[in-house]
């Protein structure tokens, strides 16, 4: 079953913050986050593993609550380059690369 | 280091035909997985190969098949094409295929079935 992402779309002004949520009904081993710009390949942002760790990467960070099977991606002081579609991918079978991706969140950052 | 290469970039076929898509992973990567991306369904997992063996398979009909060669290059084949098979097919490679390492995606093959 596909994880549920929310919101489906968000429009920001440069410098504003955003949170994208990813929720699964299955027990998870890891959560991946990718960003895809129009006409391009998805690009890796970060992986969160069981243990509830929070990871950061420039002004983009994420958390993973394994008890709730939820992950959140935090975009701080957004830049125009942050525009794109964000996907979370969840791993629940502990048997190799078999990610189940959410439906995506379209983010548009305006000047 | 070269990225993941997928060929062809675009493909137009008619219903009932067969198609083969190719994916060359990053050198040294042994896991190759395939995804179908459509506007309505998002990214759907097709299958994953590791060291020439299919390790995981998604919920797609038997018309979708794949294989991996000893140099880790992978192909996927779709037989008896249907209109609903029109999609962007993405492959992704990773070093060891643990599920806990980042995937490197190719730019995809855009398949249109008429």
């Amino acid at each position: 079953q596909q994880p549920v992402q929310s919101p489906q779309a968000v429009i920001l002004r440069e410098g504003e913050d955003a949170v994208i949520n990813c929720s699964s009904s299955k027990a998870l081993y890891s959560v991946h986050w990718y960003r895809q710009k129009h006409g391009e390949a998805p690009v890796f942002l970060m992986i969160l593993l069981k243990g509830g760790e929070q990871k950061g990467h420039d002004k983009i960070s994420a958390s993973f609550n394994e008890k709730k099977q939820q992950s959140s991606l935090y975009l701080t002081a957004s830049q125009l380059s942050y525009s794109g579609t964000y996907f979370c991918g969840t791993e629940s079978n502990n048997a190799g690369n078999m990610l189940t991706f959410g439906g995506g969140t379209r983010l548009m950052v305006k000047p | 280091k070269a990225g993941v290469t997928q060929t062809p970039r675009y493909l137009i076929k008619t219903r009932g035909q067969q198609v083969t898509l190719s994916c060359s992973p990053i050198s040294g990567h042994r896991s190759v997985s395939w995804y179908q991306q459509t506007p309505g369904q998002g990214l759907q997992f097709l299958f994953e190969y590791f060291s020439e063996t299919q390790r995981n398979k998604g919920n797609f009909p038997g018309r979708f098949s794949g294989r991996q060669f000893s140099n880790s290059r992978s192909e996927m084949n779709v037989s008896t094409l249907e209109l609903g098979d029109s999609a962007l097919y993405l492959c992704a490679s990773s070093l060891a295929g643990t599920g806990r390492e980042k995937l490197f995606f190719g730019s995809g093959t855009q398949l249109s079935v008429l």
Side-chain angles (χ1 to χ4, degrees), chain A:
Chain A
Q1 198 168 355
Q2 203 177 23
V4 177
Q5 281 186 240
S6 63
Q8 288 186 317
V10 59
I11 300 175
L12 299 173
R13 292 283 178 194
E14 258 186 306
E16 291 182 338
D17 302 340
V19 180
I20 300 171
N21 299 301
C22 175
S23 182
S24 174
S25 59
K26 293 184 174 184
L28 301 176
Y29 288 92
S30 68
V31 179
H32 296 224
W33 286 96
Y34 291 82
R35 177 173 62 210
Q36 184 178 31
K37 294 183 182 277
H38 185 69
E40 298 180 10
V43 173
F44 171 83
L45 292 174
M46 63 190 75
I47 293 176
L48 298 108
L49 308 179
K50 273 176 76 168
E53 64 181 282
Q54 181 150 355
K55 283 198 142 189
H57 162 7
D58 200 7
K59 291 179 182 164
I60 300 176
S61 62
S63 63
F64 176 26
N65 184 327
E66 63 184 89
K67 287 183 182 175
K68 293 186 177 180
Q69 311 308 329
Q70 289 175 349
S71 177
S72 294
L73 186 72
Y74 307 94
L75 299 141
T76 306
S78 59
Q79 305 166 17
L80 296 176
S81 61
Y82 286 4
S83 293
T85 302
Y86 290 77
F87 293 97
C88 69
T90 57
E91 180 217 354
S92 56
N93 74 343
N94 194 29
N97 276 338
M98 182 177 171
L99 294 186
T100 305
F101 282 92
T105 296
R106 276 195 208 171
L107 179 81
M108 183 185 295
V109 180
K110 293 186 172 181

